[in-house]
Amino acid sequence: MHFISKDLEDYIEQHSEKEPELLAALNKETYQKILLPRMLSGHFQGRVLSMLSKLIRPVNILEIGTYTGYSALCLCEGMQKNGQLHTIDIKEELVDFQRKHFDKSPWGGQIVQHLGEAVDIIPNLDLKFDLVFIDADKENYLNYFEMILPKMNKGGIILSDNVLWSGKVLEPIHPNDISTKILVEYNQLLKDDPRVETVLLPIRDGLTVSRVI
């Protein structure tokens, strides 16, 4: 997941906006109590998500893959006062952990948690979204894209995480490696699909920004 040196990563963080105290506490508690803490967006990527949200000024945000809620809180920083963030995850054991930190933030009442499979939940969301963040099971990235595109406002932004997949997108694909196969197809789809314009950023494990035309 690290494509540049640790020294350069540290320099980047030191010359980007400081991590808010609430998120620093969430980061620390995730590493203390939750399995696979490296799934957390973290300081630098979190500030990127925050900045993009502040530029977009979304009303409705959809997040596919909540984990412990760090990225959701980053995305909320640019959300309009009448907005909502809907976040979906399958892990019931994390719901209370997420809610505890959501309610410590200024946006607790605007964050709606959904528990279950995103492919079942997304069709029932009767909303138009300005910003979507996809950071869940890679096998469903193609499905998520097709399901959310009709629910996007024109000019809306779809962010897709982990699209470089630790560099595996450049390597020969093992027949049983479904995640890498799907991500390669997904990256090509975003490049070729006339419904969006896309730039792939080498941020952390790869972050694609796609604008709905």
Side-chain angles (χ1 to χ4, degrees), residues 117-139:
E117 297 286 348
V119 291
D120 299 324
I121 293 168
I122 293 170
N124 296 315
L125 296 176
D126 188 20
L127 292 167
K128 284 284 191 177
F129 294 99
D130 305 297
L131 177 59
V132 172
F133 183 42
I134 304 174
D135 185 17
D137 55 314
K138 312 312 165 192
E139 293 88 345

Side-chain angles (χ1 to χ4, degrees), residues 70-128:
Y70 190 101
S71 53
L73 291 172
C74 294
L75 295 168
C76 282
E77 291 181 32
M79 183 171 59
Q80 295 191 33
K81 290 182 179 180
N82 62 332
Q84 280 191 329
L85 181 141
H86 290 257
T87 185
I88 305 170
D89 206 283
I90 61 171
K91 294 180 179 175
E92 186 174 2
E93 67 272 19
L94 292 180
V95 170
D96 291 341
F97 185 96
Q98 297 159 4
R99 177 49 60 186
K100 178 180 73 173
H101 290 279
F102 290 160
D103 286 344
K104 289 179 181 179
S105 79
W107 311 285
Q110 296 169 269
I111 299 175
V112 181
Q113 294 165 282
H114 299 270
L115 179 64
E117 297 286 348
V119 291
D120 299 324
I121 293 168
I122 293 170
N124 296 315
L125 296 176
D126 188 20
L127 292 167
K128 284 284 191 177

Side-chain angles (χ1 to χ4, degrees), residues 17-76:
E17 285 296 308
K18 185 179 178 181
E19 185 178 38
E21 289 184 11
L22 173 64
L23 291 174
L26 172 52
N27 192 334
K28 182 178 180 180
E29 189 171 354
T30 297
Y31 272 84
Q32 289 173 335
K33 299 180 179 179
I34 308 298
L35 291 174
L36 302 174
R38 77 187 197 105
M39 290 173 58
L40 196 83
S41 290
H43 176 189
F44 174 59
Q45 186 178 22
R47 291 306 86 206
V48 172
L49 297 177
S50 169
M51 181 67 76
L52 289 171
S53 184
K54 288 170 182 174
L55 291 170
I56 297 162
R57 298 290 295 138
V59 175
N60 290 318
I61 304 171
L62 173 63
E63 179 184 53
I64 305 172
T66 315
Y67 190 46
T68 56
Y70 190 101
S71 53
L73 291 172
C74 294
L75 295 168
C76 282

